[in-house]
Amino acid sequence: MYDVVKTYDKVSAEWIEKYSKIEESASINECMEVSGAFNHDFRPVWPGARAVGAALTVRARAGDNLIIHKAISMIKPGDILVVTCDGFQESGGMFGGIMSTSSQHQGAAGLIIDGCVRDTMMMKKVGFPVWSRGISIKRSTKVTGGQINVPIVIGGVLVNPGDLIFADNDAVVCIPKDKVEETYKLAMAREAHEDHMLERVLNEGITTFNDDFRATYAALNLREEPDPV
């Protein structure tokens, strides 16, 4: 098996475009049989960031970003770099502003990394979406190898190269390639339902305490004070 893989199946540009119309990451993850949401500590380095694309996976050594520089040279339009470095958070040089600019110039849609990054203001200035587990300005080395476009586990989720990644201000979600179509249909239906419920809340004054919740609540036999006279 090669350490650097160049030929692999990836989600199509058409599906990336369709998922770009979905409003929220929760709409997707709620419709998946197996959660694709990364651990909660993956946060956008600037508020409001959003990215949809195909995973270009990278397995880097802790504190060394040589293989990430190689991965940047392989980016195709619509790719999202998904980098695991054993959760190492003591090197901010794993990814910075110039790397962000270069990645964006190559057509990357964003970066997800389980370590730290730096130069966050430059990332914001150029508009490159980044999700990381922290921010640090410490150095990294460039002397060890790694792997590109192999299956990785990051944020508690298995990500295969070419899987669809949806990231917004709330979360990062991975949708496996073979689940993209069915998940999309369910997510769109869920958002349509949510829009309908929002309209009813605004126009009819209903609450979120619906009939199903009332039935469950009643079965709990909680002691509730009577309404004031």
Side-chain angles (χ1 to χ4, degrees), residues 2 9 25 49 89 111 113 143 155 171 194 212:
Y2 295 108
D9 294 331
S25 53
Q89 293 180 274
L111 163 74
I113 185 168
V143 296
E194 295 276 297
D212 290 338

Side-chain angles (χ1 to χ4, degrees), residues 49-116:
R50 178 180 169 93
V52 184
L56 192 167
T57 62
V58 182
R59 181 179 289 132
R61 301 290 184 261
D64 191 288
N65 67 0
L66 178 64
I67 198 69
I68 304 178
H69 286 280
K70 171 61 178 179
I72 291 173
S73 74
M74 296 171 55
I75 289 171
K76 303 297 182 185
D79 286 345
I80 292 181
L81 289 162
V82 184
V83 181
T84 180
C85 48
D86 297 329
F88 189 68
Q89 293 180 274
E90 292 307 315
S91 171
M94 292 296 286
F95 210 97
I98 294 177
M99 295 170 77
S100 296
T101 305
S102 178
S103 297
Q104 187 179 61
H105 184 71
Q106 291 285 107
L111 163 74
I112 319 293
I113 185 168
D114 68 359
C116 286

